[in-house]
Amino acid sequence: MCSPERFAVEYAINPWMDVTTPVDTALAVKQWDRLRETLVNLGHTVHLLEPQAGLPDMVYAANGAFVVDGIVYGARFKHEQRAAEAAAHRAFYEEQGWRFIAPNETNEGEGDFAYVPEAHGGLVLAGYGFRTDPAAHAEAQEALGRPVISLHLVDPRFYHLDVALAAIDDTNIVYFPGAFSHASQRVLAQLFPDAVVADDTDALAFGLNLVSDGAHVVLNSEATRLAEKLKAAGYTPVPVELAELKKGGGSVKCCIAELRH
C-alpha cells in the first residue's frame, strides 16, 4: 500500500476524475489508514511504499505489478502521467528479493489482472479495452506460466478489470456482467457458474473493487446490496469508507497490491 498524502486529482484519465472537485487530503489519509488497519486487524501484513512527489496516483498501489507464485510481472502504464510509478514498484520488489520480470507490453498490473488459484488448475483473468494491451496477456502467460483468459471491457466507467470483477476465494469470483462484452460474459458464465453477480448500483459504487482472503471481503461501504449477497454466499463483508479515493476512480482493491508467494 502507498499513503495518499500526495494524492490529488490533477488530470483526468478515467470518467471518474474531475479536476474541478477538490480532494480533502487529510480525510483521504484518514480513510486509507482505516483500510490499512482493517487489513492488519484481519491478520494480514501490510508493506508500505513511499509516495513520491509528482505522482498523485501512487496510492493506487495495485496498478504497479501483478504477483503470482513469487513472480512479479511488472507494469507499464498507458498514460504518461503515471509512467514513473512503474520504477518505484520495481525498486520495491527487487529490494524485497522478488523475481521481477519487466514488461514490454502496456499493462497496469492488478488493475487488469486477477488470479483465481484453484479454478481450473489456476487461472489468470485479464481485462483489456481501455488500459492494458491484449498483447500483455500473452506476455503475462509466458512470464507467470499460468493460463490467461482475456476479457473485453466495453464500458469506460469500468476502465480496469478490478472495478468490474474480483476473486473472492481460491475458486470463485464476483463480477458485474454489464462491464464486459457479450462474448466475455459467456466465458465468465461458463468458467464460474456459481459466481456472485453484482448489479449496476453496487458496481457504480465501486463495490467490486474489493479484496478478499477467502472468508472476509473488504469492500466499499456504499455497496450495501453486494455486501448482503456476499453474506448470503457465506462470506463476511467488512465495509470501509473510501469516498475521497473514489474521486480518482478507485477504492479498496486499487489501494492494495496483493503479494502472492
Side-chain angles (χ1 to χ4, degrees), residues 150-169:
S150 293
L151 301 168
H152 188 191
L153 296 163
V154 296
D155 185 330
R157 296 172 299 179
F158 305 101
Y159 61 95
H160 271 158
L161 183 72
D162 71 358
V163 292
L165 177 152
I168 46 177
D169 59 31

Side-chain angles (χ1 to χ4, degrees), residues 212-250:
S212 174
D213 58 16
H216 307 92
V217 181
V218 184
L219 77 167
N220 195 291
S221 58
E222 294 179 33
T224 54
R225 284 193 289 186
L226 182 57
E228 288 301 316
K229 286 184 178 181
L230 290 164
K231 186 176 181 180
Y235 303 91
T236 301
V238 183
V240 293
E241 170 60 54
L242 283 179
E244 290 305 300
L245 276 304
K246 280 180 61 182
K247 293 177 179 178

Side-chain angles (χ1 to χ4, degrees), residues 16 157-158 163-164 175-177 179 198-209 223 226:
W16 304 98
R157 296 172 299 179
F158 305 101
V163 292
Y175 71 103
F176 171 55
D199 61 26
D200 57 348
T201 300
D202 283 331
L204 292 171
F206 285 83
L208 291 158
N209 195 239
L226 182 57

Side-chain angles (χ1 to χ4, degrees), residues 36-117:
R36 182 191 61 78
E37 290 175 355
T38 297
L39 296 175
V40 172
N41 291 339
L42 289 172
H44 303 293
T45 300
V46 177
H47 301 262
L48 297 179
L49 189 66
E50 188 69 25
Q52 296 185 14
L55 297 175
D57 279 345
M58 272 190 71
V59 63
Y60 303 124
N63 303 152
F66 178 54
V67 185
V68 175
D69 298 331
I71 302 171
V72 183
Y73 175 55
R76 185 175 182 179
F77 288 85
K78 178 177 180 178
H79 293 102
E80 181 182 355
Q81 294 95 327
R82 299 195 65 184
E85 293 178 39
H89 286 272
R90 179 172 185 167
F92 168 82
Y93 287 108
E94 291 182 337
E95 288 168 5
Q96 295 285 326
W98 294 79
R99 180 185 170 195
F100 186 91
I101 297 177
N104 293 311
E105 306 294 343
T106 299
N107 82 89
E108 300 200 348
E110 285 196 308
D112 274 323
F113 289 103
Y115 186 50
V116 194

